[in-house]
Amino acid sequence: MGPTRDIELSERRKAERQLRESEERYRRLFETTQDGILILDFDTGQITDVNPYMISLLGYTHGEFLGKKLWEVGAFRDVIASKVYFTVLRKKGYVHYEDLPLETKEGRTIEVEFNSYSGQVNGRMAIHCNIHDITERRNVEIALLRNRAFLATLVAKAPVGFAFLDRELRYVTVNKALAKMNGIPIKKHISRTVAKVLPKLPAMAPVFKRVLKGESFRNIEIQGETPKRPGSPRSWLANYYPVKGESGAILGIGLVMVEITELKKAEADLLYERDRIKNYLDLVGVIVVAIGKDRKVIMINRKGCELLGYDEHEMVGRDWFQNFIPKRMRKEVLRTFAKVKSGKMKGVEHFENPVIARGGQERLVSWHNINVMQNDKFAYSLSSGEDVTEKREAESSLVESRSRLRQLLEFLPDPTFALDLNGKITLWNKAMADLSGLGAGRMLGKNSSAIGLHFYGRRRPVAAELLLNPDQSGDKLYDSLEKVGDMSVARNFVPRLNRGKPGYVWVMAKPIHDAGGRLVGAIESVRDVTAQKRNERELIEEKEKVEALSRARDRFIADITHELKTPLSVILLHLDMVLRNDSGRRDEGTLQSYDLMWRNAQRLSRSIEQIMHLTNLEAVSVHEEKVVLRQLMGNVVEEYLPLMRSKGLVLDIRGPELSLRCDPHLLSMVFSNFMSNAVKFTDRGKIRVRWAAEGDSVSITVSDTGMGILPENRGKIFGKFFKENPDAPGSGIGLALSSEIAKKMGGKTEYHAEPGKGSAFRIIIPRR
Amino acid sequence: MKRILIIEDEPDVAESIKMFLKKEGYDAEYTLDAIAGVEKLKGFDLLLLDLIMPKVSGRAVLKEIKKRKITTPLIVFSAVGLPVVVGEELRRDYPGLVFIQKTEIYSELIPAIKSLLK
């Protein structure tokens, strides 16, 4: 053996070794592969080898495979039913079935991929069958196909518009619904951009751009026009989402559209309707508030907002009870609400509760409430309310003032009662109960005739009742009854006034009117004036007595003057006759005696006349005539000249030419009195007489240098029967009479004097 | 000679006036009974009547004269306290009547008679 042979040998060994190794590798692969492998004899087609996976896959034992022809194995019997397969295989060298259903020994069908090819195995031609179980893969594929079909159907048939846009925003897929929605056939969408297909839609490019960056948009509302209904705007809800490939790259945009035009219209109508109702609610003068079952404010009208001092948006959505009902009331109001909610309060209910306005101020609201039901379940409570704060305040203050008034009347010191229109006693105060001895309990509600019966012992109306029945005359029922405005004031004797004792009453009754001016009753106050009446009667008696005395005195004076004057008149007549007719036959001494008698008889006569004048001056009437002062004064002064001469008094008489209208008799009387006083009380010096016009008046003054008048007596000298010196002559009525006469003439008398220095008397009368 | 009848209940006064009138040249006569006076008034030219008399007053006499429609001139005299008042009052009912105070007879009676009998 040469080296070549050695080499050849080693080569052969090497090759043999490699072959062995390769066979081993193949064997290992054959044993462990997850494909089923069958080796068939190329010529006979008998199975020469089968790997473990094939055994486990088909469930036949090793022995059931070996030596059999392929089609003799049950699993392949139906599938490769003829020898065609084998022939094809031998001719072509391979056969491939992509999807071959095989039945396992237990009868389960599995899908396999079948590959067979011919080739050398251990130097012999053999057929190599490789079965790959594709059951799982097929199942997935079928599911996928099913999904796809489902999706395709869904997309095609759904009433929702679907489309897929590529990155250039061109339609790739469009479903029927969308095409219909747009009013453009599917074909006319494909490969065109949205902007081109639907130019009258708002520009969506910015949204699409964001979608292409991965953002999704759900249910965004878009409005616009499509060729389907040109000229009328439509609305859609659009969903845009990125469509990603397996790698996660964004391939385009998925688009789902739902048309909501009708919905929007309905919504707009609804909104319009709601606004209209809201306007109505805002217009009404009451508060309207709707509260949901969650206690939150659903709606409140303008009046409600005004009352509570909030804007609507500040209130809607807030808990009504927590925010607008005072804490102290909350429990109770919530209880009411619970009742309302539960349906225990049915229909319209009425209640009052306060609410808190902004700033904490409370308002009292009178509510009317209805439950709004939906599907027989409480939906919300609708309440209308009226602000009754002022009304209730007024009512309560009215009640309060009424009770105050009642208390006042109750404790009025004057016995007081009131009657209603039917003459029923509605008030009988404490003083009345005290006076009558009948308590309010016995009298209230009784007819007023009970009052007459109690006080007068017979049924007779009282003053208050007469006011209610104006036709009835009360003249014979009361000693006096007069109307003062709408009141009656009466006096009467009551036989059983004070607890049965007789007495006199002074009664005041007044009709009671309501706010509308309608007569509703009458009130009467009774005053027991028995004591007062007694005093009054005594006073009247006293006065009558005084008047009678005065009359008697006047009568007496009249009688006495008559009695005095009658003999005096006889004396005077005879003295006159003697003095005037027989003077020549008497000696001087006798004549002087006669003269003295005559003068003193005259004086007596004057005095008597003055007394009569003073007591009856008011009966004397004034007779005015034109009087020349100088003349009148001269006549009076002449009377006093003899006496003045005898006392050695000087007369100083001066005055202007003056005439006036007055009663000469009355003026002479006054002047004569002044002169008489002056001559009487002056022993030396002079008597001065002055007269003058002073504005609208004339004054006559007689002054003397006599004894004057003490200061303490000056206020009294014009009083009747005053005499400074009780022993002085005269009746003391001259100055009093002068003063009265001056007043009667519309003037006055004055006196000026200093004791020891003389007096001055003046009369001032109007110059007419 | 004019005849004057005096009705006066006081004899002294009646006698004095009668004296005075006689002196002045009148035929005067008096009666203390007022009723009798009225009866015989027809024969006289003038009546001098006292107002205040206890039985039948001067006023009653006046009333009777008025009733009988006697037109004899009248002078009423009195010692009443307020001659002015009384005189006025009488003249209201008997116009033409003259009233004289008793104390003023001497100075006022004759002029009054003269004016009435003019």
Side-chain angles (χ1 to χ4, degrees):
Chain A
M1 292 229 303
T4 310
R5 220 188 137 183
D6 284 349
I7 287 167
E8 279 175 10
L9 193 65
S10 69
E11 288 275 320
R12 215 163 80 193
R13 279 184 189 159
K14 192 183 169 185
E16 279 173 4
R17 200 180 64 238
Q18 278 176 345
L19 190 64
R20 236 178 4 254
E21 281 174 6
S22 155
E23 269 179 6
E24 263 174 44
R25 242 193 335 263
Y26 173 77
R27 194 74 221 168
R28 214 162 31 245
L29 196 65
F30 182 77
E31 297 290 340
T32 60
T33 182
Q34 293 295 304
D35 282 344
I37 301 168
L38 287 170
I39 310 293
L40 309 178
D41 185 90
F42 187 77
D43 296 324
T44 66
Q46 283 177 312
I47 295 168
T48 57
D49 208 350
V50 61
N51 78 338
Y53 187 78
M54 184 65 101
I55 289 165
S56 76
L57 183 67
L58 292 176
Y60 294 95
T61 59
H62 197 259
E64 282 171 319
F65 280 111
L66 287 182
K68 300 244 176 83
K69 293 198 173 117
L70 185 60
W71 49 92
E72 286 169 351
V73 176
F76 298 97
R77 191 181 298 139
D78 296 331
V79 183
I80 313 160
S82 67
K83 294 166 195 166
V84 176
Y85 151 73
F86 197 62
T87 315
V88 171
L89 179 66
R90 278 206 297 206
K91 246 185 209 164
K92 282 176 79 177
Y94 77 91
V95 171
H96 172 77
Y97 292 103
E98 188 147 316
D99 185 1
L100 188 68
L102 289 180
E103 206 180 279
T104 63
K105 198 177 176 187
E106 304 95 74
R108 186 169 55 97
T109 307
I110 54 168
E111 303 278 339
V112 297
E113 189 182 341
F114 185 90
N115 283 300
S116 58
Y117 49 88
S118 56
Q120 294 268 338
V121 176
N122 297 332
R124 277 182 64 117
M125 278 298 284
I127 294 169
H128 195 108
C129 297
N130 194 317
I131 296 163
H132 183 66
D133 183 359
I134 58 161
T135 312
E136 281 301 303
R137 202 180 82 199
R138 284 302 294 166
N139 283 347
V140 169
E141 273 175 6
I142 287 164
L144 205 63
L145 275 173
R146 268 198 204 127
N147 272 353
R148 225 176 249 168
F150 171 73
L151 278 174
T153 313
L154 196 69
V155 166
K157 306 280 181 188
V160 178
F162 284 111
F164 176 64
L165 308 177
D166 65 13
R167 291 194 65 92
E168 273 69 47
L169 309 180
R170 286 178 301 223
Y171 286 103
V172 176
T173 314
V174 172
N175 78 341
K176 260 188 197 164
L178 189 63
K180 206 174 159 198
M181 211 184 274
N182 291 343
I184 300 167
I186 295 176
K187 277 185 193 165
K188 292 208 170 166
H189 284 82
I190 306 300
S191 299
R192 291 187 181 163
T193 62
V194 176
K196 267 210 179 123
V197 175
L198 300 165
K200 288 193 172 173
L201 282 193
M204 299 303 293
V207 175
F208 293 153
K209 219 178 247 176
R210 284 166 65 180
V211 177
L212 289 176
K213 281 181 182 160
E215 232 178 297
S216 289
F217 289 87
R218 291 185 58 199
N219 291 335
I220 57 170
E221 251 183 69
I222 56 170
Q223 264 131 28
E225 243 184 78
T226 64
K228 185 185 176 185
R229 228 178 276 156
S232 75
R234 299 162 67 196
S235 304
W236 297 270
L237 268 186
N239 289 271
Y240 302 113
Y241 51 90
V243 176
K244 293 176 184 172
E246 271 174 49
S247 62
I250 293 167
L251 305 176
I253 296 167
L255 188 152
V256 181
M257 306 281 282
V258 179
E259 178 155 11
I260 54 165
T261 310
E262 292 304 311
L263 217 65
K264 281 301 277 188
K265 196 170 162 290
E267 192 186 72
D269 286 351
L270 216 64
L271 277 173
Y272 171 76
E273 195 63 20
R274 197 193 70 185
D275 287 348
R276 205 164 57 111
I277 290 169
K278 188 129 179 26
N279 280 338
Y280 287 152
L281 292 179
D282 282 346
L283 273 177
V284 297
V286 294
I287 305 148
V288 179
V289 59
I291 299 161
K293 50 188 167 191
D294 58 357
R295 305 175 184 177
K296 283 177 180 159
V297 177
I298 297 172
M299 186 280 305
I300 183 156
N301 74 339
R302 187 179 302 155
K303 184 82 185 169
C305 293
E306 280 169 11
L307 178 78
L308 290 159
Y310 293 97
D311 284 342
E312 188 185 354
H313 68 85
E314 290 178 293
M315 300 183 68
V316 169
R318 288 176 74 188
D319 187 314
W320 171 259
F321 303 93
Q322 206 63 37
N323 292 291
F324 307 111
I325 300 292
K327 201 174 174 189
R328 65 192 150 78
M329 301 292 298
R330 213 168 283 154
K331 249 188 187 169
E332 191 192 323
V333 178
L334 271 170
R335 212 176 298 133
T336 309
F337 186 66
K339 256 197 243 168
V340 164
K341 243 175 31 172
S342 68
K344 276 180 193 156
M345 272 172 104
K346 284 260 154 77
V348 176
E349 295 283 346
H350 174 249
F351 48 89
E352 273 184 26
N353 66 261
V355 295
I356 320 172
R358 188 192 283 275
Q361 194 200 350
E362 280 189 20
R363 310 290 304 176
L364 189 64
V365 179
S366 166
W367 295 105
H368 279 88
N369 185 73
I370 54 166
N371 300 341
V372 178
M373 312 296 281
Q374 273 171 3
N375 305 328
D376 285 341
K377 280 186 178 166
F378 175 83
Y380 58 91
S381 138
L382 188 64
S383 308
S384 72
E386 190 192 353
D387 180 5
V388 293
T389 315
E390 274 79 24
K391 203 166 136 192
R392 292 288 176 272
E393 269 172 12
E395 277 171 6
S396 81
S397 71
L398 194 68
V399 166
E400 201 177 304
S401 70
R402 238 181 231 164
S403 107
R404 220 176 288 156
L405 190 66
R406 195 152 260 285
Q407 284 179 44
L408 201 72
L409 287 170
E410 188 58 31
F411 291 100
L412 215 59
D414 278 331
T416 301
F417 62 89
L419 304 176
D420 67 10
L421 273 184
N422 301 318
K424 292 264 182 299
I425 299 168
T426 55
L427 171 82
W428 190 263
N429 78 349
K430 195 175 169 299
M432 196 72 211
D434 290 346
L435 179 75
S436 62
L438 300 171
R442 279 180 67 183
M443 295 305 280
L444 287 178
K446 274 202 180 163
N447 195 279
S448 63
S449 62
I451 302 172
L453 204 58
H454 177 75
F455 287 114
Y456 294 92
R458 63 192 162 90
R459 290 183 189 278
R460 52 151 278 166
V462 289
E465 204 179 338
L466 292 172
L467 288 175
L468 300 176
N469 304 305
D471 298 340
Q472 197 165 4
S473 166
D475 292 347
K476 288 183 180 158
L477 294 166
Y478 284 95
D479 292 346
S480 79
L481 176 69
E482 53 180 317
K483 281 262 178 190
V484 181
D486 65 344
M487 283 195 313
S488 288
V489 179
R491 286 172 184 278
N492 211 19
F493 172 73
V494 180
R496 303 178 192 172
L497 176 63
N498 198 342
R499 294 178 181 258
K501 277 186 283 177
Y504 287 92
V505 287
W506 177 81
V507 165
M508 201 161 83
K510 190 178 188 334
I512 305 170
H513 296 101
D514 68 7
R518 282 175 298 269
L519 180 72
V520 292
I523 187 163
E524 179 173 334
S525 266
V526 179
R527 194 172 287 176
D528 181 354
V529 292
T530 312
Q532 192 186 324
K533 182 89 181 171
R534 199 178 296 131
N535 291 341
E536 230 170 67
R537 206 169 50 233
E538 281 166 6
L539 262 177
I540 288 169
E541 280 167 6
E542 193 67 28
K543 192 177 161 230
E544 278 168 358
K545 222 182 279 171
V546 168
E547 277 168 4
L549 267 176
S550 172
R551 274 196 304 276
R553 186 204 63 190
D554 290 351
R555 186 72 243 156
F556 172 73
I557 289 172
D559 289 348
I560 213 102
T561 46
H562 184 258
E563 287 309 299
L564 289 172
K565 272 173 110 177
T566 301
L568 193 59
S569 67
V570 176
I571 295 168
L572 274 169
L573 182 60
H574 287 282
L575 280 173
D576 272 323
M577 286 193 289
V578 168
L579 282 170
R580 305 291 155 93
N581 295 327
D582 302 336
S583 52
R585 284 183 256 160
R586 304 271 182 263
D587 61 70
E588 194 62 23
T590 314
L591 273 178
Q592 201 182 346
S593 296
Y594 278 128
D595 191 48
L596 280 169
M597 275 192 275
W598 182 85
R599 234 182 304 147
N600 281 283
Q602 282 289 342
R603 195 171 134 198
L604 186 58
S605 172
R606 249 199 322 275
S607 289
I608 293 165
E609 200 178 320
Q610 280 194 351
I611 291 167
M612 278 311 293
H613 267 110
L614 193 60
T615 50
N616 289 288
L617 195 64
E618 58 271 26
V620 174
S621 58
V622 177
H623 289 273
E624 289 190 343
E625 58 186 70
K626 191 184 173 188
V627 171
V628 179
L629 266 189
R630 187 188 295 276
Q631 213 174 315
L632 182 138
M633 313 287 271
N635 288 343
V636 172
V637 164
E638 209 174 326
E639 268 185 64
Y640 293 94
L641 286 175
L643 190 57
M644 284 176 75
R645 258 199 301 273
S646 70
K647 285 182 102 171
L649 298 173
V650 178
L651 176 70
D652 171 11
I653 177 164
R654 246 185 291 166
E657 279 302 323
L658 207 60
S659 61
L660 72 157
R661 279 192 72 77
C662 72
D663 186 319
H665 181 69
L666 293 178
L667 185 59
S668 296
M669 239 149 93
V670 175
F671 181 50
S672 177
N673 267 317
F674 286 178
M675 283 302 293
S676 164
N677 272 337
V679 174
K680 205 185 291 172
F681 298 108
T682 308
D683 293 331
R684 67 182 71 85
K686 66 178 176 183
I687 291 169
R688 206 168 65 170
V689 178
R690 293 282 187 274
W691 64 91
E694 293 172 1
D696 294 338
S697 313
V698 170
S699 70
I700 301 164
T701 312
V702 177
S703 42
D704 60 54
T705 52
M707 57 195 282
I709 289 178
L710 291 169
E712 63 267 30
N713 290 334
R714 279 174 198 166
K716 306 175 192 166
I717 53 166
F718 289 105
K720 278 184 194 176
F721 308 112
F722 172 78
K723 287 168 77 174
E724 185 158 76
N725 178 3
D727 300 327
S731 61
I733 60 167
L735 284 176
L737 182 63
S738 299
S739 175
E740 291 299 316
I741 289 172
K743 275 184 214 159
K744 201 170 173 78
M745 294 173 83
K748 59 177 180 177
T749 49
E750 285 178 353
Y751 168 73
H752 301 278
E754 278 179 44
K757 284 189 177 173
S759 306
F761 292 90
R762 178 179 295 156
I763 176 171
I764 302 163
I765 51 171
R767 183 185 183 184
R768 281 193 268 261
Chain B
M1 196 187 278
K2 298 286 179 188
R3 298 191 71 214
I4 296 172
L5 178 66
I6 304 158
I7 300 179
E8 165 66 75
D9 64 309
E10 293 263 357
D12 279 5
V13 176
E15 188 58 43
S16 297
I17 294 173
K18 187 185 166 187
M19 277 173 67
F20 175 52
L21 288 176
K22 283 236 159 118
K23 235 182 196 172
E24 294 294 326
Y26 293 97
D27 179 7
E29 203 178 290
Y30 70 83
T31 170
L32 303 177
D33 182 345
I35 303 299
V38 176
E39 294 300 333
K40 63 177 181 183
L41 188 54
K42 272 191 179 166
F44 290 86
D45 299 307
L46 190 138
L47 173 63
L48 209 51
L49 173 67
D50 184 18
L51 194 62
I52 297 166
M53 294 180 287
K55 284 182 200 157
V56 179
S57 76
R59 286 174 206 273
V61 173
L62 287 170
K63 228 178 228 174
E64 189 61 25
I65 288 170
K66 196 172 188 179
K67 202 173 135 195
R68 297 188 185 193
K69 293 180 179 166
I70 295 167
T71 53
T72 310
L74 270 169
I75 293 173
V76 176
F77 64 99
S78 174
V80 75
L82 290 169
V84 179
V85 176
V86 175
E88 253 172 43
E89 183 192 301
L90 289 175
R91 269 193 299 275
R92 211 162 35 236
D93 292 337
Y94 305 92
L97 174 149
V98 173
F99 182 80
I100 291 173
Q101 278 209 80
K102 262 186 189 169
T103 47
E104 304 295 331
I105 283 172
Y106 182 79
S107 55
E108 291 180 7
L109 184 58
I110 301 307
I113 292 170
K114 279 183 177 160
S115 81
L116 281 174
L117 294 180
K118 211 168 20 183

